[in-house]
Amino acid sequence: MLLSVSFAHLLNDAMQNSVPAVFPIFQTSLQLSYAEIGWIAFTLNVTASILQPLIGTYTDRWPMPILLPLGMAFTLLGMVGLALSPGLAMLLVSAALIGIGSSVLHPESSRVAHMAAGKGRGLAQSVFQVGGNTGQALAPLMVAFIITPLGMHGFLWFTLLALAGILIQWRVAKWYRVQSRQRSAGGNGVRATPNSGSTFSRGFVLFVMAILVLLLFSKFVYLASMTGYYSFYFMEKYHLSLERAQVSLFALQFAGMAGTLLGGPLADRFGRKKIIWFSIFGTAPFALLLPYAGPIGSVALCLAVGAILMSGFSVIIVYAQEMLPGRVGMIAGLFFGLSFGLSGLGSVVLGSLIDQTGVEFVIKASAFLPLLGVLAFLLPKDSRIMGGR
């Protein structure tokens, strides 16, 4: 089941991340501005941002396994919409449908990973998350080899991925339903009351959450600058093709896959706080050098950025879930939702800034965001989080 939800995560994120990777094609085919491009990313991400914590909170109390295949069905509709969009309005509707699909997959599949984890929660969350990172890594290549030659109609091929996802999630939903019934019958059900098992004060919880949100802000706004606009910067600076620009983004996402897989086990061994700090602040030197690197150097630096930056997200989720152990779905939905929301807002703001200042200025300014990782020093030690459960 863990491998199944990880593969479903791969399919979902491959389709979802193909959207920002194809922004240059949207721009030339439909004559869109950078700000309008930003609104597509905003719609995609904020739809998921709003819905994910709501779905996670609701299903903490009332599990709904049928949501898993249903979410993939929304993504299928979104892919068809992107292929046939005549203008911005249809692109926005299609992006919203894909966002709805993601808003279901992340909290509910994360819950399945938690159920299947046993004692290795860090490893289980990393296995689930690495599926998503693999999909993110494949998205630029899929755009380069499918969308670029065929145009927007190439999105119709992605419907095959959505259909495969529906079948996989249907199987997972059957297992999820059985597990939910067994746990409820045994008195160890999925339903939980707010703050179940936690002895922390509200002020302490809010302080920790605020630090984690700031760390997510630095991570996902920086990633929004890379996935949404680095291709434009690369093509403008080096006068190379979109396909060549996608190679650097593939390196970023491919290394992120490895970083995600290693992050959970390393956190289980060395501590969650240390890995969270390293994953954000440790990215800064490479991010600051990246705008000044050549085509070959950019690939090497993207490998370093991806491996380090992506290693911490699953660890942040487990860290928060261990602080509030009765709120597995809510925490997963909240943090996945924040990741989408921050990416969406970041894309709108960055797109508007590019219209006013140019893509080079924004890419160079965004490189300073990982320096906010120093705030991880303010997080409580792992022993205190575990001791308060």
Side-chain angles (χ1 to χ4, degrees), residues 78-94:
M79 289 294 108
V80 174
L82 290 177
L84 304 178
S85 291
L88 179 62
M90 189 63 181
L91 286 177
L92 294 176
V93 172
S94 302

Side-chain angles (χ1 to χ4, degrees), residues 32-383:
L32 303 179
S33 68
Y34 283 108
E36 288 172 327
I37 289 292
W39 278 109
I40 298 172
F42 175 84
T43 302
L44 172 67
N45 290 302
V46 171
T47 303
S49 176
I50 293 172
L51 291 177
Q52 284 190 79
L54 296 178
I55 291 172
T57 300
Y58 182 86
T59 54
D60 274 337
R61 296 177 179 272
W62 298 283
M64 296 182 64
I66 191 61
L67 288 178
L68 290 171
L70 185 60
M72 276 289 181
F74 277 101
T75 302
L76 173 63
L77 294 175
M79 289 294 108
V80 174
L82 290 177
L84 304 178
S85 291
L88 179 62
M90 189 63 181
L91 286 177
L92 294 176
V93 172
S94 302
L97 289 171
I98 297 170
I100 292 171
S102 290
S103 71
V104 173
L105 179 135
H106 289 104
E108 285 301 273
S109 294
S110 182
R111 187 194 313 280
V112 173
H114 190 271
M115 286 179 172
K119 296 181 179 179
R121 292 179 180 175
L123 175 60
Q125 191 65 38
S126 288
V127 171
F128 167 64
Q129 189 63 27
V130 80
N133 287 130
T134 305
Q136 293 168 20
L138 292 174
L141 295 183
M142 293 166 65
V143 168
F145 293 107
I146 299 176
I147 305 298
T148 301
L150 300 176
M152 291 169 56
H153 284 89
F155 277 111
L156 291 174
W157 285 103
F158 287 23
T159 59
L160 298 177
L161 302 183
L163 288 171
I166 291 172
L167 295 175
I168 292 169
Q169 294 290 63
W170 188 270
R171 178 172 177 266
V172 172
K174 289 183 177 180
W175 182 86
Y176 177 9
R177 185 179 295 108
V178 171
Q179 292 296 309
S180 297
R181 289 173 179 171
Q182 289 178 349
R183 294 185 180 210
S184 296
N188 189 26
V190 180
R191 299 182 185 183
T193 57
N195 296 322
S196 172
S198 175
T199 60
F200 296 121
S201 68
R202 183 183 297 271
F204 177 81
V205 172
L206 289 176
F207 170 77
V208 174
M209 290 297 180
I211 297 297
L212 295 177
V213 168
L214 287 172
L215 295 175
L216 291 178
F217 168 82
S218 66
K219 170 186 170 70
F220 285 104
V221 175
Y222 175 71
L223 282 177
S225 73
M226 290 295 296
T227 58
Y229 302 108
Y230 183 72
S231 293
F232 294 104
Y233 172 74
F234 191 96
M235 291 187 291
E236 179 182 296
K237 185 176 178 67
Y238 303 114
H239 307 289
L240 296 173
S241 66
L242 173 61
E243 291 89 344
R244 181 63 183 82
Q246 297 298 317
V247 173
S248 293
L249 291 180
F250 171 74
L252 176 79
Q253 303 289 8
F254 180 80
M257 175 180 63
T260 298
L261 188 59
L262 291 174
L266 288 174
D268 286 339
R269 180 176 178 84
F270 298 107
R272 316 228 189 274
K273 178 179 176 178
K274 292 179 181 178
I275 300 302
I276 292 171
W277 167 81
F278 176 71
S279 72
I280 309 294
F281 192 67
T283 304
F286 305 100
L288 290 168
L289 287 172
L290 182 56
Y292 306 97
I296 296 176
S298 69
V299 174
L301 289 172
C302 281
L303 287 170
V305 168
I308 299 172
L309 188 61
M310 303 292 195
S311 65
F313 184 53
S314 61
V315 182
I316 289 174
I317 291 176
V318 174
Y319 183 90
Q321 286 175 337
E322 289 180 340
M323 186 171 65
L324 296 172
R327 309 300 294 270
V328 173
M330 185 273 285
I331 291 295
L334 175 65
F335 282 94
F336 278 111
L338 282 170
S339 71
F340 282 91
L342 292 170
S343 297
L345 289 171
S347 294
V348 170
V349 173
L350 294 174
S352 298
L353 285 175
I354 290 173
D355 281 334
Q356 299 176 27
T357 63
V359 67
E360 182 175 356
F361 172 81
V362 170
I363 290 296
K364 290 180 177 179
S366 299
F368 288 89
L369 285 169
L371 291 173
L372 289 175
V374 71
L375 295 173
F377 281 117
L378 300 176
L379 290 173
K381 295 180 179 179
D382 293 19
S383 57

